[in-house]
Amino acid sequence: MYQIRFRLLICFLFLIYFSQTSLAQNKLLSTKETAKLIIDAKANRIAGDYEKSLLKSRVALEQAIKNKDNDLIANSYLIIAANFDELTEPDKALYYYNIGLYYVNKTNNNILKNQFYNNLGNIYCFDKKQYDKGVYYYKKSLEHSQKILDRKQIFLTKLNIGWAYFDIEKFEEGFPYLQYINKYQSIDGDESTIVALNMLNGMYCNFMNENEKANSYFEKAIVFGTLGNEKSDLSYSHLEYSKFLNKIKEPQKAYENLSLYNKINNDLHIEEKLNKANIVGINLEIDHYKREIDKIETTYKTRQNQLIEEQSKNKKIVIIVLFLLICTIIFLYFFFQNIRLKQKNKLKDFQSKIQENIINASIDGQELERKKIASFLHDNISSLLSSAGLHLNVYTSQNKTQPEEINKTKEILEEAHNQIRNLSHELMPSLLVRFGLFYALEDLCEKTSNSMIKISFNSMISIKKRYNEDFEMKLYFIIAELINNIIKHSNANNAFINIQETASNLIINVTDNGTGFKNNHFEVLEGFGINQIRARINNMKGEFNINSILNKGTTISLKIPIIY
């Protein structure tokens, strides 16, 4: 009889404990509450509070998965991806967009499908420069926009498709989309689209060689962009206008617009950095896991208090059956010891995950540094375009036939186009990365030489010798800037780059036979960039000297400590 009561008591205690544990573990929000959380997360994102938005959307995602609601799951992934999209983290955004796309395709929500496909098109066209994929997703977005009769979205998507085709010079394929947006700008467009519309019209007129119309459209795009808030569209308008001006042989205005493009781009990069400063990925992950740990500890204390209350309720039974009480206490003691051990193990697991996330965050930091280098290479494209303009000027001023400069200009323009298209994959000149400084400099001298000026490269060092990658990159761009100065300002027809190596230094002499200048006047001359070069040499703990004789030429000497 006592054994039967004992067993019943044990079963009763087990049922109470596990029922409470199950309720605590399986507590979830309703679909309505989860939807409200998603709306809040979206509002935080629009307000620029990305950290709150990410935290809320992550909780919403967990709840949506528990509810097995594909619509809510897709919405959660959309907000997470959109946050990273606005923080200019296209790889992370792309990852979450693709996961969300899997779930949204299980639904009949055409509005949500349209948003996913449109955002994927934006990333592939504007960030990845993979135009075929971008146009594919834009056209998928267009299908769903037409199903839900969203005229505004149809207009924007056709504008983006036309822009994508024009970027890869498929003007005939993009022209029908341009016709559509010209027709419906007054109905479905607004101040945010007028800049891009005028820019695209200018690009098309440029393609059709309607120079007066093209010039008018580009100037309108710049006026509207300057008055409005579309900085990105304004920067692209300056870039396309500079290409057009270069084509019609107005190099000075082309250079001015190219400079404005670079300035606006730099301003946008600064804004992106400020946005990123509002959210620190490491802290976000640590805070998240700390909350998880606190939650586990709180859950454990709650369970413990519940069991103490249960013990007090069972005191009457314990008084009657003292032996059973002692057995029960012993049993509960070991039971709770086991749970406590499990909780400690879980805490250790979460702490290990925190460490892993810290390491991952440091790797993300390294990737950000690589993006800075990529941004620097983007600025290098302006030098290539400037060189192309100079070659064209030589051609137009001397010959009616096509000399060597035309071919070189085409090569440089093609290279610039490839760099823009593959910007996300290019971090520095390929020859510099693969073969080193001397291969890259030899190629630069050969590429820059033309019928007006010959630039010779001479090195007493083995061409295969390599140094520290960052060291090589800095030297390459310093010498490239000096060569550009010779071409732009010296009126020389011969220049020489000579490099020697001592025990611990590189000795570099850059000489030309140009007009020269008085040594005490060179720092006040504009366009030379001497102060910037001197600052870079000083940062490398090197020496920088200029020796120039009026009408006889200039020699610039660099002595830089070698870094292996």
Side-chain angles (χ1 to χ4, degrees):
M1 187 69 175
Y2 284 105
Q3 289 180 348
I4 294 171
R5 289 180 179 177
F6 175 77
R7 290 174 182 171
L8 289 172
L9 178 61
I10 295 301
C11 291
F12 176 72
L13 291 171
F14 265 104
L15 286 170
I16 291 174
Y17 176 77
F18 283 112
S19 64
Q20 292 173 345
T21 301
S22 178
L23 285 171
Q25 289 179 342
N26 294 319
K27 182 180 179 182
L28 54 84
L29 299 176
S30 67
T31 55
K32 187 175 181 180
E33 290 171 323
T34 305
K36 175 63 168 59
L37 192 60
I38 290 172
I39 293 171
D40 291 344
K42 184 177 180 180
N44 289 135
R45 179 185 64 77
I46 294 171
D49 196 341
Y50 302 110
E51 185 170 2
K52 282 186 180 179
S53 179
L54 282 170
L55 289 172
K56 289 180 181 178
S57 55
R58 184 176 293 180
V59 174
L61 177 62
E62 293 171 353
Q63 296 296 323
I65 290 172
K66 288 179 181 179
N67 281 299
K68 298 180 180 179
D69 189 320
N70 290 326
D71 198 283
L72 292 177
I73 293 171
N75 264 296
S76 301
Y77 276 122
L78 179 65
I79 295 174
I80 292 171
N83 273 288
F84 285 116
D85 205 351
E86 293 188 12
L87 288 167
T88 61
E89 294 283 356
D91 290 331
K92 292 180 181 177
L94 189 62
Y95 173 77
Y96 289 110
Y97 279 136
N98 282 322
I99 297 175
L101 193 61
Y102 169 78
Y103 288 98
V104 79
N105 283 330
K106 292 184 177 182
T107 73
N108 295 320
N109 192 334
N110 287 313
I111 295 175
L112 200 57
K113 289 178 181 178
N114 168 66
Q115 291 175 314
F116 270 98
Y117 285 120
N118 181 72
N119 292 355
L120 282 166
N122 287 340
I123 287 180
Y124 278 114
C125 280
F126 294 103
D127 293 307
K128 297 291 184 181
K129 303 300 180 184
Q130 298 177 19
Y131 291 95
D132 289 338
K133 281 189 176 180
V135 170
Y136 166 79
Y137 284 114
Y138 277 142
K139 288 183 177 179
K140 295 288 286 184
S141 170
L142 192 59
E143 291 175 11
H144 295 290
S145 300
Q146 290 167 341
K147 287 180 182 178
I148 60 178
L149 302 177
D150 187 342
R151 291 178 56 90
K152 178 75 172 178
Q153 189 58 49
I154 291 170
F155 179 86
L156 291 173
T157 304
K158 288 194 173 185
L159 186 148
N160 285 332
I161 294 173
W163 192 337
Y165 277 129
F166 281 15
D167 258 1
I168 55 178
E169 299 182 357
K170 293 185 177 180
F171 292 96
E172 293 178 356
E173 293 183 51
F175 180 64
Y177 297 95
L178 179 62
Q179 286 181 307
Y180 179 92
I181 58 178
N182 275 322
K183 182 177 180 181
Y184 292 102
Q185 165 65 28
S186 60
I187 301 172
D188 302 318
D190 54 29
E191 293 178 358
S192 66
T193 59
I194 191 67
V195 180
L197 175 59
N198 278 285
M199 180 192 71
L200 294 178
N201 277 308
M203 291 172 71
Y204 184 77
C205 289
N206 181 25
F207 166 72
M208 297 297 293
N209 292 318
E210 298 175 357
N211 294 340
E212 290 184 4
K213 285 186 178 180
N215 190 73
S216 175
Y217 279 123
F218 281 127
E219 288 182 347
K220 285 180 183 178
I222 291 170
V223 169
F224 285 123
T226 304
L227 294 174
N229 296 318
E230 294 299 315
K231 289 186 179 179
S232 179
D233 291 352
L234 176 60
S235 72
Y236 281 114
S237 297
H238 279 298
L239 178 62
E240 296 299 333
Y241 191 27
S242 72
K243 293 178 183 178
F244 166 73
L245 290 168
N246 198 49
K247 173 186 171 183
I248 64 171
K249 305 169 186 177
E250 292 189 27
Q252 183 60 37
K253 286 183 69 176
Y255 177 79
E256 291 170 359
N257 279 273
L258 197 59
S259 298
L260 289 170
Y261 163 74
N262 288 326
K263 181 182 181 301
I264 296 170
N265 254 8
N266 288 334
D267 292 340
L268 290 172
H269 287 321
I270 292 170
E271 289 179 8
E272 289 172 4
K273 290 177 183 177
L274 291 174
N275 281 338
K276 289 183 181 180
N278 293 328
I279 177 169
V280 183
I282 298 174
N283 291 336
L284 179 62
E285 293 296 322
I286 290 175
D287 290 342
H288 174 69
Y289 284 107
K290 280 183 179 178
R291 282 190 287 272
E292 291 294 324
I293 293 168
D294 292 339
K295 181 180 177 182
I296 292 170
E297 292 175 345
T298 303
T299 304
Y300 170 74
K301 289 178 181 178
T302 302
R303 291 175 185 170
Q304 193 176 41
N305 292 334
Q306 289 173 345
L307 288 170
I308 291 172
E309 290 176 3
E310 290 172 5
Q311 287 176 1
S312 66
K313 290 179 182 178
N314 292 323
K315 279 184 180 180
K316 292 181 181 180
I317 300 174
V318 172
I319 293 171
I320 298 171
V321 190
L322 183 58
F323 177 75
L324 295 178
L325 175 61
I326 294 171
C327 293
T328 303
I329 291 172
I330 294 172
F331 172 79
L332 290 174
Y333 173 78
F334 286 105
F335 187 79
F336 287 129
Q337 283 295 105
N338 185 48
I339 290 179
R340 191 171 294 161
L341 181 60
K342 289 181 179 179
Q343 296 296 334
K344 286 182 179 178
N345 289 335
K346 286 183 179 180
L347 288 174
K348 288 181 180 179
D349 289 338
F350 276 109
Q351 288 168 352
S352 297
K353 289 179 181 178
I354 290 173
Q355 293 299 322
E356 291 174 1
N357 278 280
I358 291 173
I359 293 171
N360 289 332
S362 68
I363 293 172
D364 288 341
Q366 293 175 4
E367 292 176 353
L368 287 175
E369 290 302 317
R370 291 173 66 83
K371 288 180 182 178
K372 290 179 183 177
I373 298 173
S375 178
F376 177 72
L377 286 180
H378 182 273
D379 295 337
N380 187 39
I381 295 173
S382 65
S383 296
L384 293 173
L385 293 174
S386 296
S387 297
L390 289 170
H391 286 306
L392 284 174
N393 285 338
V394 172
Y395 166 69
T396 56
S397 65
Q398 289 194 346
N399 299 299
K400 294 185 178 180
T401 58
Q402 289 190 0
E404 181 183 358
E405 284 75 9
I406 290 298
N407 294 327
K408 287 185 175 288
T409 302
K410 291 179 181 177
E411 291 173 6
I412 293 170
L413 289 173
E414 183 179 354
E415 182 180 351
H417 176 73
N418 291 335
Q419 284 189 18
I420 293 172
R421 185 181 59 193
N422 301 313
L423 182 61
S424 61
H425 305 294
E426 286 290 338
L427 295 178
M428 63 181 66
S430 58
L431 278 177
L432 186 62
V433 175
R434 294 179 61 191
F435 301 109
L437 176 65
F438 302 116
Y439 270 107
L441 287 177
E442 187 175 58
D443 178 71
L444 178 65
C445 291
E446 191 280 328
K447 183 184 293 180
T448 311
S449 296
N450 54 55
S451 62
M452 292 292 292
I453 182 169
K454 178 176 176 56
I455 301 175
S456 302
F457 176 76
N458 180 45
S459 171
M460 305 300 293
I461 310 163
S462 170
I463 199 167
K464 296 181 179 179
K465 187 161 186 179
R466 299 301 303 266
Y467 303 107
N468 174 272
E469 183 178 316
D470 186 55
F471 176 76
E472 289 188 338
M473 182 185 68
K474 288 179 180 177
L475 279 184
Y476 176 85
F477 287 114
I478 287 170
I479 295 172
E481 181 65 22
L482 293 174
I483 291 173
N484 279 336
N485 281 343
I486 291 172
I487 294 171
K488 291 179 182 178
H489 305 291
S490 72
N491 294 321
N493 53 31
N494 280 291
F496 306 91
I497 312 297
N498 186 60
I499 300 180
Q500 301 179 43
E501 181 179 333
T502 63
S504 59
N505 297 296
L506 274 184
I507 308 298
I508 303 169
N509 290 310
V510 181
T511 305
D512 67 73
N513 64 348
T515 56
F517 48 81
K518 293 182 179 179
N519 279 342
N520 59 347
H521 287 168
F522 77 89
E523 290 190 8
V524 300
L525 296 176
E526 297 182 358
F528 278 59
I530 296 298
N531 291 331
Q532 290 82 351
I533 295 174
R534 189 189 298 279
R536 281 188 278 177
I537 297 299
N538 289 339
N539 189 49
M540 298 170 73
K541 303 189 184 304
E543 298 177 10
F544 177 85
N545 294 298
I546 294 180
N547 183 22
S548 184
I549 300 175
L550 197 61
N551 299 320
K552 290 190 177 181
T554 302
T555 297
I556 297 177
S557 300
L558 311 176
K559 182 179 180 182
I560 303 169
I562 297 172
I563 301 176
Y564 289 98

